[in-house]
Amino acid sequence: MADTPEQELAKLRAQRVKLRAAMASGVLTVEGADNTGRVTYRSYDEMKKALRDLDRDIAALVAATGGTVVRRTTQVVMTGRSGW
């Protein structure tokens, strides 16, 4: 039976949570989102690439289902006043 887009999105988000937790703890082995298997990464850099791929897949699935895509933005504002 095929998963609905909402179920697939929930699985991807759960996988992202587990990957982030593993990255924070320094462990290179991550259990699957549905506890069906393990993934062992060679390095932290490889984990970052997997996280980027997950974020891209989640954004694509959200856009395909008609949801709003969350974007990370950075705004830097500098103000100053001269003593002259």
Side-chain angles (χ1 to χ4, degrees), residues 25-60:
S25 68
V27 177
L28 294 177
T29 301
V30 180
E31 289 288 331
D34 50 0
N35 295 326
T36 57
R38 294 180 185 194
V39 177
T40 302
Y41 296 96
R42 291 179 289 221
S43 66
Y44 187 79
D45 189 48
E46 189 177 24
M47 293 175 89
K48 288 193 316 189
K49 289 177 184 175
L51 185 60
R52 277 194 301 263
D53 290 344
L54 272 174
D55 287 339
R56 185 195 65 227
D57 293 344
I58 289 170

Side-chain angles (χ1 to χ4, degrees), residues 4-84:
T4 64
E6 291 81 16
Q7 291 172 332
E8 186 67 28
L9 188 59
K11 284 182 184 179
L12 288 175
R13 286 182 173 156
Q15 189 175 357
R16 181 175 58 183
V17 167
K18 286 188 176 193
L19 181 58
R20 285 183 187 223
M23 290 173 72
S25 68
V27 177
L28 294 177
T29 301
V30 180
E31 289 288 331
D34 50 0
N35 295 326
T36 57
R38 294 180 185 194
V39 177
T40 302
Y41 296 96
R42 291 179 289 221
S43 66
Y44 187 79
D45 189 48
E46 189 177 24
M47 293 175 89
K48 288 193 316 189
K49 289 177 184 175
L51 185 60
R52 277 194 301 263
D53 290 344
L54 272 174
D55 287 339
R56 185 195 65 227
D57 293 344
I58 289 170
L61 190 57
V62 167
T65 58
T68 57
V69 178
V70 177
R71 288 186 247 164
R72 297 182 71 169
T73 60
T74 302
Q75 180 179 7
V76 177
V77 177
M78 296 179 66
T79 59
R81 198 164 68 181
S82 174
W84 297 97

